[in-house]
Amino acid sequence: MFSNYLIGLREGLEASLVVCILIAYLVKTDRRDALKPIWTGIGVAIALSLGFGCALEFGSQELTFQAQEALGGSLSIVAVGLVTWMVFWMRRTARHLKAELHGRLDAALAMGTGALVATAFLAVGREGLETALFVWASVHAASDGTPRPLVGVGLGLATAVLLGWLFYRGALRINLARFFTWTGGMLVVVAAGVLAYGVHDLQEADFLPGLTNRAFDISGTIPPDSWYGTLLKGILNFQPDPTVLQVTVWLLYLIPTLALFLAPSGLVQRRAITDPTRDS
């Protein structure tokens, strides 16, 4: 549940900050007339993201078991690729996100209503589609027959919306660069578990070999249905009896990716980001 909460919080906060920046800029520049098309673009982006998530969930239920596993494994790998790109992109551009969005908004204001709708749609829609895909892959990997994974995502998104509103109102200031660095590092760990689970899906679909070649089996020590087994699965997508290929892929992804992400250039911040809605 915690891993899904983290995904909802991290991804939702990015989208919330984008919305805060767009709305605050229009209010501060006395362009409230442009708020309606911005909210229209945001609404369309949210609807598209929800529709995409529903299509993934309900569409996959009509497939055969082998096709479901192949689809789940393939989309898990795609989701890990997208979220890895996203955390590195945010680390690199977090300090300049406000200026970049302001530039796009100025250009859209000059072009008219349609451009404003498109700007808001593209800014929020990208985050929404990435979130829908990674949430689906993570919930699929952590599924334990209970609604807890979805509850975790929902709580994370709700927290992100609340934080976004507090940022907009000026009631909350934290170092966002540091926040995105540490949550990004944790998200890389979660992504490693999703990747390993995706590999297992592809093995079950007979797309990859080695399904019966176990690296180890500690089910007796950490039963999957125990409270601590459930906790480890919910946080790290832990599996007590992974295959050799799963462990190999997990290590090959986690170690270099986390090392690159937490390299000194990613941790040293020349300037703390405290309020994304406040002009420099």
Side-chain angles (χ1 to χ4, degrees):
M1 183 171 174
F2 174 76
S3 63
N4 294 288
Y5 175 82
L6 176 63
I7 294 167
L9 174 62
R10 165 72 189 232
E11 301 287 329
L13 187 57
E14 286 187 25
S16 294
L17 292 180
V18 168
V19 172
C20 286
I21 292 170
L22 293 175
I23 299 302
Y25 184 66
L26 291 176
V27 170
K28 290 179 179 180
T29 56
D30 199 24
R31 290 301 308 269
R32 294 177 181 270
D33 57 300
L35 289 176
K36 184 176 180 179
I38 290 294
W39 282 116
T40 299
I42 292 170
V44 173
I46 293 173
L48 178 63
S49 301
L50 290 174
F52 179 57
C54 289
L56 287 174
E57 176 61 24
F58 297 113
S60 63
Q61 294 178 3
E62 303 299 322
L63 302 174
T64 64
F65 173 77
Q66 187 175 19
Q68 285 182 7
E69 297 303 294
L71 177 66
S74 300
L75 290 182
S76 294
I77 293 173
V78 171
V80 169
L82 286 175
V83 80
T84 303
W85 172 84
M86 177 271 297
V87 295
F88 277 95
W89 176 84
M90 179 55 74
R91 188 192 69 166
R92 184 177 65 253
T93 62
R95 289 191 293 265
H96 314 293
L97 181 62
K98 182 174 69 173
E100 180 181 335
L101 287 173
H102 284 180
R104 293 182 185 178
L105 201 52
D106 284 335
L109 285 168
M111 296 174 66
T113 301
L116 287 170
V117 173
T119 298
F121 171 78
L122 293 174
V124 178
R126 186 197 65 184
E127 302 289 346
L129 291 176
E130 286 180 358
T131 301
L133 179 57
F134 194 60
V135 163
W136 181 85
S138 180
V139 169
H140 179 69
S143 179
D144 55 3
T146 72
R148 283 180 295 186
L150 287 176
V151 171
V153 172
L155 290 174
L157 291 173
T159 304
V161 172
L162 175 61
L163 290 176
W165 182 78
L166 291 174
F167 278 125
Y168 178 78
R169 301 298 299 178
L172 181 65
R173 290 188 175 90
I174 63 173
N175 189 314
L176 289 177
R178 185 174 299 170
F179 172 85
F180 281 124
T181 294
W182 288 110
T183 57
M186 289 188 286
L187 208 55
V188 168
V189 176
V190 173
V194 172
L195 179 61
Y197 194 89
V199 168
H200 183 265
D201 278 353
L202 292 177
Q203 288 180 308
E204 288 194 325
D206 292 329
F207 273 60
L208 293 175
L211 180 61
T212 59
N213 189 13
R214 302 292 177 184
F216 52 83
D217 188 347
I218 55 175
S219 301
T221 305
I222 306 179
D225 56 352
S226 64
W227 69 266
Y228 45 92
T230 302
L231 182 65
L232 287 172
K233 182 176 179 62
I235 296 177
L236 301 174
N237 289 312
F238 174 78
Q239 183 179 337
D241 57 345
T243 65
V244 172
L245 184 58
Q246 279 183 275
V247 173
T248 301
V249 169
W250 186 83
L251 290 172
L252 289 176
Y253 169 82
L254 180 63
I255 294 175
T257 304
L258 201 56
L260 286 172
F261 184 77
L262 295 179
S265 60
L267 292 175
V268 176
Q269 304 294 336
R270 292 189 176 90
R271 176 183 174 188
I273 303 177
T274 56
D275 185 352
T277 65
R278 184 178 179 179
D279 290 332
S280 301

